[in-house]
Amino acid sequence: MILFLSTGFGQDVLTLKKGASYEGEFLGVKSGKVHFQPTNVYSFKPRRLKEIRGLTQNGELLIQDGKWTGS
């Protein structure tokens, strides 16, 4: 159980509406696009909000169905 908890936190998770899911680091938003760096992926293009099903950072849901949920 401890191993599960330690791997579940500390990684941000980006899920696209097309179904792909990535663990990595949420870098921020610039020019209306979400910048995210997946683990073990060299090149990843910024995504528009409407392309994103969900984004969690440290267990907190930031984006759901293309809309910001937090402040």
Side-chain angles (χ1 to χ4, degrees), residues 4-15:
F4 173 73
L5 290 175
S6 66
T7 59
F9 293 102
Q11 287 282 326
D12 303 335
V13 179
L14 174 73
T15 305

Side-chain angles (χ1 to χ4, degrees), residues 10-29:
Q11 287 282 326
D12 303 335
V13 179
L14 174 73
T15 305
L16 301 177
K17 289 186 177 179
K18 292 186 176 186
S21 185
Y22 302 92
E23 290 184 356
E25 182 181 1
F26 170 55
L27 303 174
V29 178

Side-chain angles (χ1 to χ4, degrees), residues 45-61:
K45 68 178 184 172
R47 305 294 176 150
R48 293 176 293 180
L49 274 175
K50 68 181 186 177
E51 296 177 69
I52 299 172
R53 175 176 290 143
L55 172 64
T56 58
Q57 182 179 45
N58 298 321
E60 180 182 344
L61 185 64

